[in-house]
Amino acid sequence: MDYFPLDDAEYLDSLPQPGLQLYLDSAEPEDWRRFLPLGTFFGVTTNPLLLERAGQPCTLAQLEKLTRQAADLGAAEIHLQTWGKTTEEMVHNGGQLALMAGLGVDVAVKVPATEQGLLVARRLAEAGCAITLTAVYNPAQVLLAAGFGAAYAAPYLGRMNDLACEAAEPAGERAVLTMLDILQNTQSATRLLVASIRSAAEVVKLASWGLDTLTFSAQVAAELLADENTEQAAADFQKAANPDK
């Protein structure tokens, strides 16, 4: 596996930039074909579970095919998760995934926020790979992500809420806001990529709190698009423009 370390200027250019970034959390090409052409989504996020649900094998060959499809549909970035039984295998697969940036789309390599995952993430980051530390469940893991310069840290909002659903304010929301405070107060370049979002209302709430990097399913994307009043207004406009039809 050949790695190409970045110089300081290239590394700074590779870090996530400020501003809203929405991602489609799906490995279904049909979802990509529906939503990516809208121009609303910065890119897509995937993982082995999403691949399994979509009937896609978790192989380098298949992920290369999917990366090409994402690039063709206008995605600026794709998040691909490494895997392997050993640290060396995870590093190898992660490096291969990172090289898929040569297909015309930026690639962030997802690595679980475990001790082994941190070893893998550090080695890949030192080789110049953009890293998304994923399966984040507590603020301490965001500190770890920022500590080695991860491009993204991905907390699982819905799953965190499920773990403590008795609170008046969901525990996941409190934790995510604490994570955001940590990154902002330490002036970290790591970006908080909130995942496991289950409704359009949650998307709007998170954005209103200043969380600007969000990934959600095609179902939530469709919910965001749905508004009967807007549909009726569009129909009225069309009728007025073509009164005889």
Side-chain angles (χ1 to χ4, degrees):
M1 182 66 215
D2 294 326
Y3 294 119
F4 304 94
L6 305 176
D7 63 27
D8 289 344
E10 289 175 324
Y11 176 72
L12 290 173
D13 288 342
S14 72
L15 290 174
Q17 300 301 308
L20 183 67
Q21 289 181 194
L22 302 179
Y23 294 84
L24 190 62
D25 196 31
S26 171
E28 291 277 5
E30 183 177 343
D31 294 339
W32 298 5
R33 287 190 291 269
R34 177 181 178 186
F35 292 108
L36 289 179
L38 299 178
T40 297
F41 290 93
F42 187 73
V44 293
T45 56
T46 67
N47 62 45
L49 284 174
L50 290 176
L51 290 168
E52 183 181 51
R53 292 169 190 163
Q56 309 265 6
C58 186
T59 64
L60 291 170
Q62 183 62 22
L63 289 168
E64 178 179 344
K65 179 180 177 181
L66 289 173
T67 300
R68 290 183 185 276
Q69 291 177 357
D72 289 344
L73 290 166
E77 187 172 77
I78 185 169
H79 292 232
L80 304 170
Q81 186 162 326
T82 190
W83 71 97
K85 294 181 179 179
T86 67
T87 298
E88 291 301 323
E89 189 176 357
M90 291 182 72
V91 170
H92 171 77
N93 288 335
Q96 293 290 331
L97 294 174
L99 290 178
M100 293 180 190
L103 301 175
V105 59
D106 289 339
V107 174
V109 180
K110 298 175 71 174
V111 184
T114 62
E115 185 171 350
Q116 182 189 35
L118 286 168
L119 289 173
V120 172
R122 177 185 177 183
R123 288 176 58 181
L124 290 172
E126 288 177 345
C129 304
I131 301 298
T132 299
L133 200 67
T134 192
V136 167
Y137 278 85
N138 69 73
Q141 292 169 319
V142 169
L143 280 174
L144 298 174
F148 74 85
Y152 300 91
Y156 285 179
L157 175 65
R159 297 185 188 183
M160 288 190 290
N161 284 339
D162 291 343
L163 293 174
C165 59
E166 74 281 356
E169 179 186 343
E173 293 181 357
R174 294 199 306 276
V176 163
L177 288 173
T178 299
M179 294 172 191
L180 182 63
D181 285 342
I182 288 170
L183 295 177
Q184 290 180 339
N185 293 337
T186 59
Q187 298 183 327
S188 171
T190 298
R191 194 161 181 154
L192 201 63
L193 171 57
V194 185
S196 186
I197 300 173
R198 295 176 178 169
S199 70
E202 282 187 340
V203 173
V204 172
K205 181 190 293 185
L206 291 167
S208 74
W209 289 341
L211 290 146
D212 60 5
T213 312
L214 311 170
T215 185
F216 44 86
S217 68
Q219 180 180 353
V220 173
E223 187 181 345
L224 280 170
L225 284 170
D227 191 291
E228 293 181 359
N229 295 318
T230 301
E231 292 294 334
Q232 184 59 56
D236 292 342
F237 295 150
Q238 183 64 24
K239 183 177 180 181
N242 299 278
D244 297 329
K245 293 183 181 181

